[in-house]
Amino acid sequence: MPPALAGERLDRAVSVLWHCSRGESAALVAAGAVRVNGAVGRGRAVRLREGDELAVAHEALAGRRAAGPQPESGVAVAVVHEDEHVVVVDKPAGLVVHPGAGRATGTLCSGLLARYPEMAGVGERSRPGIVHRLDAGTSGLLVAARSPRAYESLLGQLAERSVRRCYEAVCWGAVGDDRGVIDAPVGRSGRRRTHMAVTEQGRAARTFYEVRRRYLRPASVSHLCCRLETGRTHQIRVHLAAIGHPLVGDEAYGGGADGAGAALRLDRPALHAAALGFRHPRDGRAVEFESALPEDLSTLLAGLSQ
């Protein structure tokens, strides 16, 4: 049994580990289908201890209803850090974070569940352990909760805007100021519901940026470091597009290659979550993680010159 479930009720542990509802797990216990350290479970409310061994009769599981996203061992998860409360991963571009419309399998969430089954009982049932997300096309660092304590702590830090999230971005054109802040509300686009936009009806959003380098050849682009104060959907992509500097490769927000920029074709937005910092839920100490640019963005920058 995972250490994170020590002290939990038997029915909840069964629910978490075998991905079933609390009602189903209680029924399994009542039917005598659950064994603790080789003996039939003494009641659904019994508290477990670290090191206890749980088993559920195979035939009792047949035909039960699946609860939430199922684990998939084939989903690669690059782990940067793990402990009993949190796991920090380096997500590749193209991997969807959690199940949603049109995508039920093959997500980062599924891969995490396969590796850390106790996460099934943490947070929302449809996206266990997930406290923030990255767009499918964005690569880089993401933290997920392995315990209820971590989940509540990380959500609180995100709400109070104390989580440090820095991104490297490559956008079209020469950004004028060396540093600045884009302060503009972001909400659903009135024209395309799958897109976001700067709109008066949106939620407050602030993106700080600093120009690392400007390039002229083979096209005019800027390499930026962006820091999020808020974390709205598509925030950096929308904000940069709003000031006339969409991300290279971002077809959704006007960053597709054309004309002189054809040599800079990229099959995803040029955005990478490079740094992540937060207070550890266990003791409140500050922790920081960094991720190097992936090969596609490194190659893109290597082909540019002033």
Side-chain angles (χ1 to χ4, degrees), residues 3 28 138 147 150 153 178 186 194 210 245 283:
L28 289 170
T138 301
S147 69
S153 173
D178 288 343
V186 172
T194 58
E210 181 175 347
H245 298 286
D283 52 21

Side-chain angles (χ1 to χ4, degrees), residues 14-262:
V14 171
S15 173
V16 168
L17 294 174
W18 279 272
H19 310 289
C20 57
S21 71
R22 289 290 285 272
E24 290 170 325
S25 65
L28 289 170
V29 174
V34 179
R35 291 184 173 270
V36 181
N37 300 323
V40 174
R42 299 185 301 279
R44 65 180 185 177
V46 67
R47 297 287 175 173
L48 298 173
R49 295 174 295 181
E50 185 172 351
D52 281 345
E53 295 184 2
L54 303 187
V56 176
H58 177 74
E59 59 272 15
L61 295 173
R64 68 170 175 79
R65 178 178 57 83
Q70 297 300 294
E72 298 173 57
S73 58
V75 178
V77 179
V79 176
V80 175
H81 168 84
E82 64 177 359
D83 58 49
E84 70 272 26
H85 290 292
V86 301
V87 54
V88 177
V89 300
D90 199 341
K91 187 186 85 68
L95 180 61
V96 174
V97 170
H98 57 71
R103 177 63 67 94
T105 61
T107 66
L108 174 65
C109 186
S110 299
L112 287 173
L113 280 176
R115 185 162 180 162
Y116 311 104
E118 73 276 7
M119 286 178 61
V122 178
E124 294 184 32
R125 183 175 177 179
S126 62
R127 55 187 73 179
I130 303 300
V131 295
H132 70 118
R133 60 185 291 274
L134 298 175
D135 296 337
T138 301
S139 57
L141 298 172
L142 179 144
V143 60
R146 292 183 63 189
S147 69
R149 175 179 174 180
Y151 185 80
E152 295 301 325
S153 173
L154 292 170
L155 283 185
Q157 293 179 56
L158 287 163
E160 66 187 20
R161 301 178 182 177
S162 62
V163 176
R164 178 174 175 266
R165 289 172 289 174
C166 297
Y167 295 71
E168 292 201 50
V170 183
C171 65
W172 290 110
V175 176
D177 296 329
D178 288 343
R179 58 183 56 83
V181 58
I182 307 170
D183 190 346
V186 172
R188 286 290 171 189
S189 169
R191 292 183 295 178
R192 300 183 67 180
R193 295 303 296 171
T194 58
H195 288 49
M196 307 300 285
V198 169
T199 171
E200 292 182 359
Q201 290 72 44
R203 301 173 66 188
R206 286 166 63 88
T207 302
F208 296 86
Y209 68 85
E210 181 175 347
V211 177
R212 290 198 166 181
R213 197 168 183 181
R214 299 178 182 88
Y215 298 91
L216 295 176
R217 291 180 290 273
S220 176
V221 298
S222 299
H223 179 194
L224 308 179
C225 177
C226 298
R227 179 173 63 83
L228 290 180
E229 179 179 292
T230 54
R232 310 306 178 205
T233 301
H234 300 177
Q235 180 174 316
I236 293 175
R237 300 166 63 188
V238 170
H239 272 174
L240 290 178
I243 64 171
H245 298 286
L247 291 171
V248 170
D250 195 349
E251 298 282 351
Y253 294 103
D258 55 14

